Amino acid sequence: MIISQVTRSKFNRSMPQQRLILCISICDIILGLCWIFNPLLMYNDGSPYWARGNQISCSFQGFMIQLFLGASVLYQASLQIQYLLGIKYGWTQRRLR
């Protein structure tokens, strides 16, 4: 819902906090998919019986989780800094862009 509201509205796309929330939402969706497919992409060395992946799929999943988890944290920090500057220090939307 957030993704469709931000991408459809030109006004929402022009606001920095809306774009940051859009990026956080995209990262969260990709992370959720990585965790859902976790059992299928795990390396099958005999210990978990549901593991179906190989070394490449396990490494790929680990890379995706680390990449999008780090990106999500950085986007959230950026959003928090923007709110700090806007609320506490009185920066306008124009100055934040």
Side-chain angles (χ1 to χ4, degrees):
M1 189 163 148
I2 291 173
I3 294 173
S4 66
Q5 287 180 351
V6 174
T7 56
R8 289 183 184 178
S9 171
K10 187 173 183 176
F11 176 73
N12 284 341
R13 286 192 312 259
S14 69
M15 298 183 67
Q17 76 261 18
Q18 294 294 325
R19 290 194 307 261
L20 287 171
I21 291 173
L22 171 70
C23 292
I24 292 169
S25 298
I26 291 171
C27 288
D28 286 343
I29 288 171
I30 293 172
L31 279 171
L33 290 173
C34 285
W35 288 114
I36 288 171
F37 292 115
N38 185 23
L40 297 176
L41 297 175
M42 284 175 51
Y43 180 64
N44 187 2
D45 61 353
S47 55
Y49 64 92
W50 61 83
R52 299 283 185 247
N54 55 22
Q55 184 64 39
I56 295 172
S57 65
C58 186
S59 297
F60 174 73
Q61 180 192 15
F63 172 76
M64 295 294 284
I65 289 173
Q66 291 297 317
L67 177 71
F68 286 102
L69 187 63
S72 179
V73 169
L74 291 175
Y75 282 129
Q76 290 175 14
S78 299
L79 187 64
Q80 292 169 0
I81 290 170
Q82 182 182 2
Y83 281 130
L84 173 73
L85 293 173
I87 294 171
K88 185 170 183 179
Y89 297 110
W91 283 28
T92 62
Q93 286 290 327
R94 185 173 182 200
R95 190 172 181 190
L96 288 170
R97 288 184 192 169

